[in-house]
Amino acid sequence: MYTSEKSQSIFQAGKTTTQEALQLYDSLEPVNCDFMWGRWRGAGLDTDHPMDGLLELSNWYGKEFVDPETVHPLLFSDGRGELFKVAPHPTLMNWVLKLSIPRNTAFKPWLMFANSLLKTDKSQARLRMMEYRGVVTATMIYDYLPINDSFKKVDDHTVFGIMDFKNSPQPFFFILKRELTEKIQK
């Protein structure tokens, strides 16, 4: 069983093994959909996954949950403090997993440009209660990708997420911290 001190040390380090991340995820309590409403700031947890560091390199901000049918899974910063929503692209997602993209800041302008081409105002996911690893918890279902993100509660303003992508045998882990603002309106 993971203590809150052990959990916090993993989150502060920002790195662990896949096995430890799974054990930590399994030790946390599930959340319901109501818990997820609002905007969340995200950060990856490095487990030697092909996506480790790429979201941060491309100015990923986090996720926004408005209602069960309106979810914005990819919020990015334009570098000037403005946020924009991105429509995930299946081909790009598969490239990320197949190609070894260096985690080099020289690629940051290219990644930010690619994201700017995928801007959208339309919802790209839904939120449902689903079973994952034997427990029913709030789960974000992408509209156009075979991906589900399941969430577990770390504290009243933090969740630990796990991305289950059909095309990847290894899950991707991330932390979301709730923005402490009024409920997001549609």
Side-chain angles (χ1 to χ4, degrees), residues 68-166:
E69 298 299 323
T70 312
V71 175
H72 305 288
L74 295 172
L75 297 178
F76 287 88
S77 170
D78 67 0
R80 298 180 306 269
E82 295 295 319
L83 299 182
F84 62 95
K85 302 161 189 138
V86 167
H89 194 280
T91 301
L92 289 177
M93 190 68 182
N94 285 320
W95 284 352
V96 164
L97 294 174
K98 290 180 182 167
L99 301 175
S100 180
I101 300 172
R103 299 337 182 240
N104 185 314
T105 56
F107 287 96
K108 187 174 189 123
W110 183 86
L111 291 169
M112 290 178 67
F113 174 73
N115 282 337
S116 72
L117 296 176
L118 300 170
K119 284 183 181 180
T120 186
D121 285 324
K122 294 182 180 178
S123 171
Q124 299 294 311
R126 301 178 294 158
L127 191 65
R128 298 288 189 272
M129 295 299 291
M130 294 180 63
E131 182 178 330
Y132 184 69
R133 296 184 60 81
V135 176
V136 175
T137 193
T139 301
M140 186 187 77
I141 306 156
Y142 281 80
D143 291 342
Y144 306 108
L145 289 172
I147 295 177
N148 294 337
D149 289 351
S150 296
F151 307 102
K152 294 278 198 87
K153 182 178 181 179
V154 175
D155 61 41
D156 287 341
H157 303 290
T158 311
V159 294
F160 188 36
I162 185 169
M163 182 186 87
D164 179 29
F165 183 28
K166 183 177 181 178

Side-chain angles (χ1 to χ4, degrees), residues 12-101:
Q12 286 173 354
K15 182 173 178 56
T16 190
T17 66
T18 297
Q19 189 58 37
E20 252 196 356
L22 287 169
Q23 290 171 357
L24 173 56
Y25 178 87
D26 290 343
S27 75
L28 298 170
E29 71 178 86
V31 295
N32 62 33
C33 292
D34 287 343
F35 185 83
M36 297 303 299
W37 305 142
R39 186 178 292 154
W40 298 74
R41 176 94 180 172
L45 181 67
D46 187 352
T47 59
D48 292 324
H49 187 279
M51 285 183 50
D52 286 349
L54 281 180
L55 286 171
E56 290 81 1
L57 189 60
S58 58
N59 277 6
W60 179 53
Y61 181 86
K63 300 179 182 293
E64 183 178 51
F65 302 89
V66 180
D67 62 45
E69 298 299 323
T70 312
V71 175
H72 305 288
L74 295 172
L75 297 178
F76 287 88
S77 170
D78 67 0
R80 298 180 306 269
E82 295 295 319
L83 299 182
F84 62 95
K85 302 161 189 138
V86 167
H89 194 280
T91 301
L92 289 177
M93 190 68 182
N94 285 320
W95 284 352
V96 164
L97 294 174
K98 290 180 182 167
L99 301 175
S100 180
I101 300 172

